[in-house]
Amino acid sequence: MNRVTGDARYRAAIRRWQGCMRDAGQRAHTLDEPPAAIRKQLQRAGTDPTALHAVAGRELKLAGTDAGCQRRAGLFDAVAQAQRDAERAVLRAAGAGADADLARLREARQRAIARATGSATPPP
């Protein structure tokens, strides 16, 4: 996770997302802030149907803004690229041991699938 969030592409995408959110009138520094703000509003609304309805409307609007800003910022692609590079770095550092670990993991997965499906023969 730290490799991804420390990646320059991710940090640049987050800055673009922050700018987009700011331009849309939403102050957010982290991806966790928009849903956290809605949770706080829900707690304050309690069981008041009118207040809950108002929060629901704000949540829908905020979710749409957040999703649009993530898309415009290229956040998904930045995360995918950073994750791919982080995984490659870990595998390179692990060397041949990683290949053996992956083979054992595949075999364990195949045995689990065979047990779960009642198959006598594990899938390839």
Side-chain angles (χ1 to χ4, degrees):
M1 184 69 164
N2 290 337
R3 287 181 190 246
V4 173
T5 58
D7 186 273
R9 293 166 295 194
Y10 174 82
R11 290 191 320 267
I14 287 293
R15 285 190 299 275
R16 290 189 300 270
W17 171 81
Q18 290 168 337
C20 178
M21 292 292 282
R22 185 179 49 253
D23 292 347
Q26 302 293 331
R27 289 293 227 207
H29 294 90
T30 70
L31 294 169
D32 295 332
E33 287 180 26
I38 293 298
R39 280 191 300 277
K40 284 181 185 177
Q41 291 176 24
L42 281 171
Q43 288 172 345
R44 284 193 301 264
T47 58
D48 177 1
T50 303
L52 288 170
H53 183 75
V55 173
R58 286 192 297 273
E59 180 181 23
L60 289 173
K61 183 177 183 208
L62 181 57
T65 299
D66 185 11
C69 285
Q70 287 187 35
R71 187 176 49 255
R72 284 189 283 287
L75 192 58
F76 176 82
D77 290 335
V79 169
Q81 292 166 1
Q83 181 68 35
R84 182 192 65 233
D85 291 352
E87 288 171 0
R88 285 181 181 159
V90 167
L91 290 174
R92 270 194 309 275
D99 291 336
D101 289 343
L102 288 173
R104 283 191 296 277
L105 180 61
R106 283 186 200 101
E107 290 169 9
R109 178 180 169 271
Q110 290 170 349
R111 285 191 302 274
I113 291 171
R115 271 193 311 275
T117 60
S119 171
T121 309

